[in-house]
Amino acid sequence: LHPRVRRQRQMCIRDSHKEGMAPFFALFVDADEKNSAMNIVQLYQAGIGMGDRDYYLLEDEGSAKMRDAYRAYINKLFTLAGSSPEQADAAVDAVMKIEKAIAEISYGREDLRDSQKNYNKLAYEDFKQIESPLDWDVYFESMGLAGLKELDAKQINFYKDMNKALQNTTVDEQKYYLAFNLLSAAAPYLSDDFVDADFEFYGKVMSGKQEQQPRWKRSLNTVNGALARLSARCM
């Protein structure tokens, strides 16, 4: 990629992470699992909207139906956002292509239950040696983490394989993927059509719910959740 395009992608990822989204991977700070007296920057595999890699990789009837419902959800969001039918279809193909590639390099359920395998603390300078589509110096500096000395890379093979997973994707496909992350994260807070689309997939299809809470209850839950997170940061 051209350096300017590469930097723009990194800024999009940074802005998404700062707003609580997790395209490609997630970043957070939490207690060091082997030294609870200190906190440490941690990276965790992410970036797939259906949550579990098996939905993308298995060929059973249930997984196929889940993928069909997810494709309809992606199409609906882009259509509601003003995309043409051709653009919405292209967005669906791009999101599914990238998320399947991410799923293929993600740890499965058994590996995620292995606490030793998911603890990969290393010096930041060593982590930077991993070939990656991101310039980690630029990313961490823009996240306010310049001068980082060490981190826990969790599923470390995920970052080693990310470059390979993305090498056959175009800039336009990555734009669609990042746009979808924004639309999907915002959908519960937009107009009724977006809210209904979000509930149809994440509420009904994925969670088995039949009826959505009234808006006043959802609004109250949002406020309570925000206050809880604020209180935690202030402690």
Side-chain angles (χ1 to χ4, degrees):
L1 287 178
H2 188 280
R4 181 174 60 83
V5 175
R6 181 184 173 99
R7 184 175 181 84
Q8 287 176 339
R9 178 178 62 188
Q10 291 184 167
M11 294 303 99
C12 288
I13 294 172
R14 175 209 60 188
D15 291 345
S16 297
H17 285 181
K18 284 187 174 182
E19 294 299 326
M21 293 167 270
F24 299 112
F25 64 96
L27 177 145
F28 60 97
V29 177
D30 205 348
D32 186 330
E33 293 180 9
K34 294 190 176 181
N35 181 8
S36 60
M38 64 171 288
N39 288 335
I40 188 171
V41 170
Q42 304 184 37
L43 300 178
Y44 204 93
Q45 68 180 37
I48 50 177
M50 288 189 284
D52 193 316
R53 71 192 294 268
D54 287 350
Y55 289 133
Y56 297 86
L57 306 180
L58 296 183
E59 295 301 328
D60 60 280
E61 183 179 356
S63 297
K65 287 183 177 180
M66 185 70 74
R67 288 193 292 272
D68 288 342
Y70 190 49
R71 292 177 70 93
Y73 170 63
I74 299 168
N75 189 291
K76 184 68 171 179
L77 290 192
F78 276 91
T79 299
L80 290 173
S83 297
S84 68
E86 294 76 17
Q87 290 171 326
D89 288 343
V92 171
D93 291 341
V95 172
M96 294 302 293
K97 176 182 177 180
I98 290 176
E99 292 195 4
K100 183 179 181 181
I102 293 173
E104 288 172 341
I105 65 171
S106 297
Y107 284 17
R109 298 176 190 177
E110 291 184 3
D111 288 334
L112 289 174
R113 287 194 289 266
D114 186 336
S115 59
Q116 288 296 116
K117 190 170 186 177
N118 287 272
Y119 183 83
N120 288 286
K121 181 178 178 179
L122 70 167
Y124 174 61
E125 290 301 319
D126 292 335
F127 176 73
K128 284 199 308 179
Q129 302 309 308
I130 297 174
E131 184 179 8
S132 169
L134 290 179
D135 183 323
W136 290 109
D137 282 339
V138 173
Y139 172 76
F140 282 113
E141 182 177 354
S142 65
M143 292 294 289
L145 293 168
L148 186 66
K149 300 299 183 184
E150 59 184 8
L151 74 162
D152 181 0
K154 292 300 182 187
Q155 303 80 26
I156 192 164
N157 292 333
F158 180 81
Y159 310 100
K160 293 179 179 179
D161 294 337
M162 189 185 299
N163 198 54
K164 180 176 64 177
L166 294 179
Q167 66 183 1
N168 292 321
T169 62
T170 67
V171 172
D172 285 340
E173 287 171 335
Q174 292 180 36
K175 286 180 179 178
Y176 277 130
Y177 169 74
L178 291 169
F180 170 67
N181 273 261
L182 177 60
L183 286 172
S184 188
Y189 313 106
L190 298 175
S191 65
D192 287 343
D193 288 339
F194 282 94
V195 172
D196 291 344
D198 175 81
F199 181 73
E200 183 68 28
F201 180 69
Y202 285 110
K204 289 184 178 180
V205 176
M206 294 210 74
S207 302
K209 298 177 182 178
Q210 296 303 312
E211 186 175 349
Q212 186 164 211
Q213 288 185 325
R215 185 176 285 271
W216 72 265
K217 282 190 177 182
R218 287 182 276 124
S219 299
L220 187 60
N221 290 338
T222 299
V223 173
N224 288 339
L227 289 174
R229 290 192 294 273
L230 180 60
S231 298
R233 287 199 296 266
C234 294
M235 290 179 65

